[in-house]
Amino acid sequence: MESGRRPAWLGGVFQVSRKHAGRDVIAGLVLTTLLVPQGMAYAELAGLPAITGLYTSILCLVAYALIGPSKVLVLGPDSSLGPMIAAVIVPIVASGGDAVALASMLALMVGVMMTVAAVAKLGFVADLLSHPTQLGYMNGLALTILIGQLPKLFGFSVDADGLFAEAGGFLRGVANGETVPAALALGAGGLAVILLLRRYAPKVPGILLVVVAAIVVVTLFDPPVDVVGALPQGFPPFTLPHASWSDLGLLAAGALGITLVSVTDTISTSSAFAARTNQEVQGNREMLGIGAANLSAAFFQGFPVSTSGSRTAVAFQAGARSQLTGLVGAAAITLLLVFAPDLLKNLPQPILGAVVIAASLSLADLPGMRRLWRQRRVEFSLAAAAFLGVALLGVLPGIAVAVGLSVLNVFRRLWWPYRTVLGRPAGVNGYHDVRSFPDAVLEPGMVLFRFDAPLIFANARTFREEVRALARAEQKPRYIVVAAEPITDVDTTAADMLEDLDEELNQAGISLVFAEMKDPVREKIDRYKLTRTIDPAHFFPTVEDAVSALREDAR
């Protein structure tokens, strides 16, 4: 039966069609070639054993396939979440905590937050990260990941916390001769191959080729490089997440940031692929699917997961059209752990560093920053501030800075909205912005004023001062007509301001008039009883009607 005949609420694996099943299986096998090395690399990026990346991949793929709405999204360990996870658990581990247990508790908290948000229909929280701040945050994250992985690429480690401390430690290590030539040759060579194939032959599985070649080199020549080592055999055991009470506060704060980043990334990736699969984005159901994926991973020594745009693209290009692809990937990883856990024991650590660095470079978007600089300097400033927040303060404070800047940008537009005077341009119907039409004719005895925002407590003073300035003009107007169509709301603070302002204007012989006010806003005006001071006859359906009715008296 075709997927289109199945209920829309079923998970992606239940939307498989016989026509696409074969391609889904092949895509799942292709996907596995990315899931294994990236899962291991991103686990180490999060400060966890490599094996936990495979455990996490298995459980999250199965859970999302059963519950998630998208046919093609691929979930798993993510390069953007790795530093956030490490920022939460590493300080606790330093004081004696269990990294795997802490990461599992973090995944449990993220899963609960996602599920609660989905039930409460809070999908709009993804909007808390605007595109400019998200761009700056991701660029900062890319730089942080890159600097943090350079020592591994060069074959040594650095005990430091923070971008500048890690960069300083890396430079000192290189200067002191700690570089392992064999490690650098493998890591840098592998990174170059991955990037070149991504650029010039994107359909070639560059990561797989590099991983296989590196394992062969280590097996044959035994160079002095650190390797992953033998992996535990078998399916991950069921384990209850646990953490001390004193650690729950930091874990909850980290989980909140991870949830926000994961939701934002998932909604944007889902939107990009929805049109290709004839689906609509279901934000709340996506959160439910991600929540289930995190909850499942939490009970099997996993850590928080998100959607992977790169792995989703690979799966889609390989023919994936349902979540059968994810189940095949999960089954392939399970078979690897059960029957061939030693297959990856000679995988060099510098190659995992190369995989992570390649992922970090894909997070960076310098052309996007240049575009913001050309298009809108204010939003470029927001992106730059978010970038500096991550680079200077760290990953978790950086996400707080990014969210704070996004929210402040919204309030900035409400506090100081665009406002202008309208006039009648020659040869153009209606009244228009005098800044766009400097030669527009102003109506004698009246000012047509437009305020492009809801009228609320945050901008009530701005509105009042603008109207007062118009009233103090050299040629005092008889009427100030507010073109109120952009005013979508009037709160009680603004209502009190309007009442006082109207009385003040009346004493100066000026009347406040409204045109094109929306019905819901007019109903609030009546409910606030503002018509006690504002003449009920001074509300008009259009600006033209107001001008026609008042023109004679205004002269």
Side-chain angles (χ1 to χ4, degrees):
M1 182 164 52
E2 295 297 318
S3 61
R5 300 177 186 176
R6 300 180 189 275
W9 50 266
L10 288 176
V13 72
F14 299 108
Q15 302 179 51
V16 63
S17 68
R18 293 188 183 96
K19 181 174 67 175
H20 293 135
R23 282 189 287 178
D24 285 333
V25 172
I26 294 173
L29 296 175
V30 172
L31 180 63
T32 305
T33 66
L34 271 182
L35 292 172
V36 173
Q38 287 190 344
M40 298 171 71
Y42 297 162
E44 294 198 343
L45 177 62
L48 297 164
I51 186 64
T52 60
L54 302 185
Y55 291 165
T56 302
S57 297
I58 294 171
L59 275 303
C60 73
L61 288 170
V62 173
Y64 186 84
L66 296 175
I67 297 177
S70 173
K71 297 177 182 179
V72 297
L73 286 190
V74 177
L75 266 65
D78 187 65
S79 57
S80 64
L81 298 189
M84 300 182 72
I85 297 169
V88 177
I89 68 173
V90 168
I92 304 176
V93 171
S95 60
D98 183 337
V100 175
L102 291 168
S104 296
M105 178 58 76
L106 196 59
L108 179 64
M109 288 182 169
V110 172
V112 170
M113 289 180 183
M114 287 280 191
T115 304
V116 170
V119 173
K121 301 187 183 304
L122 299 179
F124 63 86
V125 297
D127 299 332
L128 289 178
L129 272 178
S130 67
H131 177 67
T133 52
Q134 187 179 7
L135 187 64
Y137 171 78
M138 286 299 178
N139 281 319
L141 195 61
L143 181 61
T144 300
I145 294 172
L146 175 63
I147 297 299
Q149 292 297 306
L150 283 177
K152 183 182 289 187
L153 199 71
F154 279 65
F156 62 91
S157 61
V158 170
D159 185 14
D161 184 25
L163 179 67
F164 293 107
E166 290 181 343
F170 167 70
L171 292 176
R172 284 191 297 271
V174 172
N176 294 335
E178 296 181 29
T179 301
V180 178
L184 179 58
L186 280 172
L191 177 60
V193 171
I194 292 171
L195 296 178
L196 287 172
L197 289 176
R198 178 190 293 174
R199 176 68 177 84
Y200 297 106
K203 293 187 178 181
V204 176
I207 292 178
L208 175 63
L209 292 179
V210 167
V211 166
V212 171
I215 291 174
V216 170
V217 168
V218 170
T219 303
L220 294 178
F221 302 104
D222 192 24
V225 297
D226 292 333
V227 296
V228 170
L231 300 177
Q233 186 173 22
F235 193 79
F238 178 84
T239 308
L240 288 174
H242 61 276
S244 65
W245 286 102
S246 60
D247 297 331
L248 293 182
L250 178 58
L251 288 170
L256 184 61
I258 290 171
T259 299
L260 180 58
V261 171
S262 182
V263 170
T264 304
D265 191 31
T266 298
I267 297 300
S268 60
T269 305
S270 177
S271 300
F273 284 92
R276 305 186 192 183
T277 55
N278 296 319
Q279 286 189 289
E280 294 182 0
V281 178
Q282 303 177 55
N284 293 309
R285 280 205 57 210
E286 288 292 1
M287 286 196 296
L288 194 63
I290 307 170
N294 279 281
L295 290 172
S296 300
F299 290 102
F300 291 89
Q301 300 184 17
F303 52 87
V305 298
S306 181
T307 301
S308 169
S310 61
R311 277 167 281 178
T312 300
V314 167
F316 187 81
Q317 290 169 3
R321 293 299 181 269
S322 81
Q323 286 297 331
L324 178 60
T325 296
L327 289 186
V328 171
I333 298 173
T334 302
L335 293 174
L336 172 68
L337 292 177
V338 172
F339 296 108
D342 290 339
L343 191 62
L344 299 172
K345 69 177 181 179
N346 287 332
L347 176 60
Q349 289 286 356
I351 292 298
L352 292 183
V355 171
V356 173
I357 289 175
S360 74
L361 295 177
S362 68
L363 290 177
D365 186 1
L366 297 182
M369 295 290 284
R370 288 195 297 269
R371 186 170 59 252
L372 282 180
W373 174 262
R374 293 193 306 267
Q375 294 176 345
R376 191 162 184 173
R377 298 291 173 86
V378 170
E379 298 202 347
F380 173 83
S381 300
L382 291 174
F387 170 83
L388 292 174
V390 176
L392 300 178
L393 303 178
V395 176
L396 286 180
I399 188 65
V401 168
V403 172
L405 289 173
S406 293
V407 174
L408 284 176
N409 190 35
V410 173
F411 278 106
R412 179 188 65 82
R413 295 177 182 180
L414 288 176
W415 283 331
W416 301 294
Y418 186 77
R419 56 265 189 201
T420 188
V421 171
L422 306 180
R424 185 184 289 277
V428 181
N429 292 329
Y431 293 89
H432 301 276
D433 190 342
V434 296
R435 296 176 186 174
S436 300
F437 298 90
D439 297 329
V441 177
L442 303 181
E443 287 293 332
M446 67 179 76
V447 176
L448 309 182
F449 173 60
R450 196 181 73 204
F451 190 81
D452 290 356
L455 195 51
I456 59 174
F457 70 95
N459 57 31
R461 183 179 62 83
T462 300
F463 180 92
R464 182 186 63 204
E465 295 308 315
E466 286 285 337
V467 172
R468 282 176 172 174
L470 295 173
R472 291 195 298 266
E474 184 176 343
Q475 295 184 346
K476 187 175 74 172
R478 174 70 182 86
Y479 296 101
I480 296 178
V481 180
V482 180
E485 185 180 21
I487 300 178
T488 56
D489 191 19
V490 175
D491 70 5
T492 55
T493 301
D496 291 341
M497 177 276 296
L498 287 175
E499 185 172 14
D500 294 341
L501 179 62
D502 185 62
E503 291 178 347
E504 177 184 323
L505 293 174
N506 288 341
Q507 291 176 2
I510 302 172
S511 295
L512 194 60
V513 177
F514 293 89
E516 300 180 353
M517 180 173 283
K518 299 179 185 297
D519 289 343
V521 180
R522 175 61 196 274
E523 290 171 3
K524 291 180 181 179
I525 294 293
D526 291 338
R527 190 160 60 245
Y528 299 149
K529 300 187 183 303
L530 285 180
T531 49
R532 290 177 304 182
T533 56
I534 302 176
D535 189 342
H538 285 171
F539 291 86
F540 295 91
T542 68
V543 173
E544 287 80 0
D545 289 337
V547 172
S548 297
L550 304 174
R551 181 175 286 143
E552 283 298 323
D553 191 43
R555 294 182 185 276

